[in-house]
Amino acid sequence: MIRKARKEDIRRIIELLHQVNMVHHVIRPDLFKPHTTKYNEQELETMLNDDSKPIFVFDDGMVLGYAFCQITKVRGDQLLEDIKTLYIDDICVDENARGKHVGKALYEYVRDYAKSIGCNNITLNVWEGNEPALRFYRSMGMQVQKTTMEIIL
């Protein structure tokens, strides 16, 4: 079952955040510190009360995955068209639950949620080198919107 995250889910979400961080650390140890998380318990508790940053969890008696979302709006911009976007800030499936369609269920739930609240699109970022994530998002119908480039000096 997919539902909005609750305060009692925070400890498990922290465990999953550690898994995501280590994936990123392995790909880019020059950028990501090991054994830490993107958010702490206080930040997560604040996010749980922010309707513009919904967090959804896949709960099968235990939280097996999450999707952190952010809703953004562009209105009256000189250059850009008015648009409402759901940005997937972070998505994770427990390493022991991968291949069981948890990620697909989370993604489809988020997609349907975005449609239901009038979003024009869904965006997210994927680190170069994270081939499983790239394959997954392409299989969900996503395509490249823009590319960020760098040179390491």
Side-chain angles (χ1 to χ4, degrees):
M1 164 179 99
I2 298 174
R3 60 171 172 77
K4 276 199 160 184
R6 300 185 293 247
K7 186 175 179 178
E8 57 267 22
D9 298 322
I10 288 177
R11 281 214 160 142
R12 178 64 177 144
I13 290 170
I14 293 280
E15 291 173 10
L16 295 172
L17 281 164
H18 275 284
Q19 290 183 24
V20 168
N21 178 66
M22 289 309 294
V23 168
H24 293 138
H25 171 71
V26 167
I27 294 168
R28 291 297 304 263
D30 58 320
L31 296 177
F32 291 93
K33 297 175 182 179
H35 313 295
T36 189
T37 61
K38 184 175 188 171
Y39 303 111
N40 63 38
E41 289 185 26
Q42 278 185 311
E43 291 167 323
L44 289 172
E45 194 167 335
T46 299
M47 291 169 72
L48 291 176
N49 297 312
D50 185 344
D51 290 338
S52 71
K53 296 180 180 180
I55 303 170
F56 300 104
V57 295
F58 185 104
D59 184 349
D60 189 23
M62 176 180 185
V63 172
L64 299 178
Y66 65 68
F68 284 72
C69 304
Q70 294 178 9
I71 299 155
T72 61
K73 296 176 186 175
V74 173
R75 296 285 185 258
D77 188 87
Q78 181 175 327
L79 175 65
L80 300 174
E81 295 287 344
D82 290 355
I83 192 169
K84 184 176 182 181
T85 297
L86 186 141
Y87 171 68
I88 298 176
D89 175 48
D90 203 11
I91 192 166
C92 176
V93 173
D94 184 283
E95 56 197 10
N96 297 314
R98 293 186 188 146
K100 298 179 180 173
H101 307 290
V102 172
K104 181 178 182 192
L106 275 166
Y107 179 84
E108 289 175 348
Y109 186 92
V110 168
R111 183 196 61 212
D112 293 345
Y113 174 78
K115 283 182 186 178
S116 77
I117 62 168
C119 289
N120 299 74
N121 61 345
I122 296 173
T123 62
L124 54 81
N125 294 320
V126 180
W127 285 94
E128 193 67 24
N130 192 348
E131 295 303 321
L134 287 166
R135 279 192 304 274
F136 171 73
Y137 293 122
R138 285 186 186 120
S139 76
M140 295 293 103
M142 297 194 85
Q143 57 189 348
V144 174
Q145 180 192 48
K146 61 183 174 182
T147 303
T148 300
M149 300 179 76
E150 73 175 340
I151 185 169
I152 298 174
L153 304 175

